[in-house]
Amino acid sequence: MAIADAVMNAADTNTDGVLSQDEYVAMYEVLGVSPEHSVPAFARLDVDVDGVICHHEYRTAIVDFYLSTDPNAPGNYLLGPVAA
């Protein structure tokens, strides 16, 4: 999961090793995801509800996004809702 770690490290602007909600929202805003979608996604990805996303939570979300068959898996909210 080196790519996920590299993305996280790049977005971790205060270099504390985790993503705050502001860092997460800024990262996805660059990709065209509005805060309307990234703020609720952050809440879903912060599985331990400590107010930050750690490397483990982000890696798990990436795996969920690509491999989960559970439509409610937190990682399936990385980029906001998908229109059918």
Side-chain angles (χ1 to χ4, degrees):
M1 297 301 305
I3 292 173
D5 287 344
V7 169
M8 241 188 98
N9 290 337
D12 179 17
T13 57
N14 67 0
T15 65
D16 63 355
V18 293
L19 293 180
S20 68
Q21 181 174 323
D22 289 343
E23 290 169 327
Y24 181 85
V25 169
M27 173 176 61
Y28 280 98
E29 216 164 8
V30 168
L31 297 173
V33 178
S34 78
E36 172 188 3
H37 300 300
S38 59
V39 170
F42 179 89
R44 287 181 177 268
L45 271 56
D46 180 17
V47 176
D48 61 4
V49 195
D50 64 353
V52 295
I53 295 174
C54 67
H55 281 266
H56 175 74
E57 288 170 320
Y58 193 66
R59 287 182 210 123
T60 300
I62 297 292
V63 170
D64 283 350
F65 183 79
Y66 287 104
L67 301 176
S68 177
T69 58
D70 176 3
N72 294 313
N76 288 331
Y77 293 86
L78 273 176
L79 301 176
V82 176

